[in-house]
Amino acid sequence: MALPAETNPEFADYAHPERLVSTDWLAQHLGEPGLVVVESDEDVLLYDTGHIPGAVKIDWHLDLNDSITRDYVDGAGFAALMARAGIDRDSTVVIYGDRNNWWAAYAMWVFTLFGHPDVRLLDGGRAKWLAEGRDSTTDVPEPAVANYPVVERSDEEVRAFKDDVVAHLGKPLIDVRSPAEYTGERTHMPEYPEEGALRGGHIPGAKSVPWARAAAEDGTFKRRPDLEAIYQQEQGLSPDDEVIAYCRIGERSSHTWFVLHHLLGFDRVRNYDGSWTEWGNAVRVPIVKGAEPGSVARD
Amino acid sequence: MTDAATADLPPALAEIVDDFAALSVRDRLQLLLDFSRELPDLPSRIAEHPELLEPVPECQSPLFLITEIDSGEPDPDVHLYFSAPPEAPTTRGFAGILHEGLDGLPASTVLAVPDDLSHRLGLAEAVSPLRLNGMAAMLFRVKRQVRAKLAAD
């Protein structure tokens, strides 16, 4: 049983305001049947230092990824994870996390691959909740095992693979990494490997829009007019465009996927989770170095 | 397996690596959390002079460290001090391992610790490669400071 969407004038402009909840809303609804709160962090120990009362942890390494293949869990794996977390197919899932909800957005994107109907982000994430002095606990809940159906993952709509990106060249691409990663001049310590990519630079034609531009100072999402100013007026994108976003492994670009799709109403946005750790290592894929998007000659 | 993984480590570090190896991956994270809690606070003489600490930007969260060596000895003991906020538990955990494993050992022993230490804890499945690089960077900077201080002593 899902909870009604938050009615919040702050969110009213967004294309899909029902995908966001405020800390106020969450505080009021904690503990209600049908609601499961999920914490998903980059720092995998953070949950254990204190979390929103009743929240369960979903770990991106150990829970969402397949342990052998570079891929996500399959339908049976996801169903088992949901069952452990006490999530039913009709539960309202609110996800929050550290680092302005990068990993929360990533987890939400994985939930989307399985078509979970009602999954929302906590605006401002973990930092905002704690900054407001709201309750936290180190008690780990032991939810009753839920009965989640095995739903096969559907990658077509929101996930792009390398071949999809090759076929997409010439259409809008957004590189959400830092400017230094985009230009290919990444700094790194002597004697330390760059973070697993043999080549630096970006995918031809990709525009550089670091993910954090969509976040306000307090980690909440910027309001719609400010987001439109960045993605539509400045970058010239249109909600009708087919867009692929990428970063290093697909986590920061999940944040941008959320912004474009749920907040700005772009219907055809895919996240390329292979991202630079695949493209920057792939043989004979085109790469552009420097600050200009560049282009690729097409047949 | 553990022999090969620990034969070239000083005893305290060898014990830590063995402890990690004996656990499931999820329990290894709990052990890392224990180390993060056990990381001692900076002594006030250092805490009052944060400019003395070296930042380790390779860590994904703020971490600062300083090493000291006892003066006037051929192979002086090394003392390690780390600073990381409580909201950076993984970084604190790695610092805690280095502190427990290396603090008070002779400089020659610290310098001989293999650079791949961070890969011997069985955490590759559970934390990101960037995090493991962060721990490697801490060890690298500890050794670099020890070398510089030995040269200056």
Side-chain angles (χ1 to χ4, degrees):
Chain A
M1 183 200 57
L3 275 67
E6 175 175 3
T7 319
N8 183 335
E10 295 272 309
F11 300 161
D13 277 355
Y14 293 137
H16 300 290
E18 73 280 6
R19 294 300 184 170
L20 215 49
V21 303
S22 65
T23 48
D24 279 340
W25 183 94
L26 186 58
Q28 283 159 19
H29 290 85
L30 271 189
E32 283 184 20
L35 174 67
V36 181
V37 182
V38 169
E39 177 161 340
S40 206
D41 296 316
E42 189 275 335
D43 190 323
V44 296
L45 297 184
L46 213 41
Y47 171 88
D48 296 291
T49 68
H51 50 263
I52 296 177
V56 295
K57 172 185 178 180
I58 289 191
D59 183 307
W60 58 288
H61 285 284
L62 299 177
D63 293 328
L64 297 178
N65 284 312
D66 184 88
S67 58
I68 309 286
T69 307
R70 183 173 172 187
D71 199 359
Y72 302 103
V73 291
D74 61 10
F78 189 73
L81 170 63
M82 295 299 97
R84 280 203 307 278
I87 297 173
D88 289 308
R89 186 70 175 169
D90 62 357
S91 298
T92 293
V93 177
V94 171
I95 311 182
Y96 74 99
D98 61 352
R99 297 180 182 266
N100 295 344
N101 276 335
W102 280 6
W103 302 93
Y106 188 43
M108 179 197 226
W109 177 76
V110 175
F111 272 66
T112 306
L113 296 175
F114 293 95
H116 187 86
D118 187 4
V119 54
R120 314 178 190 181
L121 284 186
L122 174 65
D123 199 25
R126 180 184 165 93
K128 184 161 194 279
W129 181 272
L130 295 177
E132 291 169 346
R134 296 181 189 272
D135 289 349
S136 67
T137 178
T138 54
D139 293 344
V140 175
E142 291 177 16
V145 173
N147 188 13
Y148 200 90
V150 174
V151 179
E152 285 314 322
R153 219 176 58 219
S154 170
D155 291 333
E156 288 75 24
E157 277 195 27
V158 297
R159 186 178 186 193
F161 295 96
K162 179 171 133 270
D163 289 347
D164 300 326
V165 178
V166 171
H168 183 87
L169 290 173
K171 295 185 203 164
L173 279 158
I174 296 187
D175 185 320
V176 314
R177 298 172 301 162
S178 62
E181 290 171 284
Y182 178 84
T183 59
E185 60 172 78
R186 241 172 334 164
T187 51
H188 62 101
M189 285 261 295
E191 295 181 39
Y192 285 90
E194 290 205 27
E195 32 185 71
L198 292 171
R199 299 295 161 123
H202 57 267
I203 300 176
K207 294 178 170 175
S208 172
V209 189
W211 68 277
R213 293 190 61 195
E217 292 266 308
D218 63 355
T220 57
F221 291 100
K222 286 183 181 165
R223 297 309 169 216
R224 186 162 185 171
D226 300 328
L227 296 174
E228 286 178 348
I230 297 168
Y231 295 96
Q232 290 167 239
Q233 280 100 54
E234 178 193 301
Q235 298 296 329
L237 297 171
S238 150
D240 303 332
D241 284 338
E242 215 180 307
V243 182
I244 294 177
Y246 70 94
C247 57
R248 192 180 62 83
I249 55 170
E251 87 294 26
R252 286 172 286 181
S253 45
S254 297
H255 189 274
T256 299
W257 163 80
F258 181 84
V259 169
L260 291 176
H261 183 58
H262 287 308
L263 303 185
L264 291 176
F266 285 53
D267 282 334
R268 293 181 297 168
V269 185
R270 284 179 290 171
N271 180 26
Y272 170 36
D273 58 279
S275 274
W276 200 256
T277 49
E278 180 178 42
W279 197 271
N281 287 315
V283 176
R284 288 185 87 180
V285 294
I287 288 175
V288 172
K289 276 182 122 59
E292 293 304 318
S295 60
V296 64
R298 308 220 64 199
D299 301 330
Chain B
M1 172 215 148
T2 52
D3 284 348
T6 59
D8 52 356
L9 297 178
L13 265 187
E15 194 178 321
I16 292 170
V17 169
D18 280 339
D19 287 347
F20 273 95
L23 296 171
S24 71
V25 173
R26 279 176 205 277
D27 286 342
R28 287 174 195 164
L29 287 179
Q30 289 303 312
L31 182 55
L32 188 61
L33 187 66
D34 292 342
F35 278 106
S36 81
R37 291 178 174 137
E38 287 160 12
L39 180 68
D41 291 336
L42 291 177
S44 57
R45 67 185 168 81
I46 294 176
E48 286 159 13
H49 293 280
E51 73 281 3
L52 298 176
L53 297 164
E54 178 178 349
V56 184
E58 295 84 355
C59 293
Q60 300 289 295
S61 305
L63 179 101
F64 299 85
L65 64 82
I66 187 170
T67 62
E68 290 179 343
I69 59 171
D70 294 339
S71 60
E73 297 169 32
D75 190 10
D77 288 349
V78 173
H79 305 283
L80 304 177
Y81 304 96
F82 296 93
S83 171
E87 59 271 21
T90 294
T91 296
R92 286 180 63 87
F94 286 137
I97 289 170
L98 291 177
H99 187 271
E100 168 124 356
L102 297 177
D103 188 60
L105 297 182
S108 60
T109 307
V110 172
L111 293 175
V113 171
D115 290 328
D116 68 352
L117 174 67
S118 62
H119 290 275
R120 300 194 193 186
L121 301 167
L123 289 168
E125 291 162 66
V127 304
S128 73
L130 293 180
R131 290 284 186 179
L132 293 178
N133 283 352
M135 187 195 191
M138 282 185 223
L139 178 60
F140 175 85
R141 285 168 187 271
V142 163
K143 289 191 196 176
R144 200 189 51 72
Q145 283 197 11
V146 168
R147 276 192 205 98
K149 285 173 184 180
L150 285 174
D153 193 45

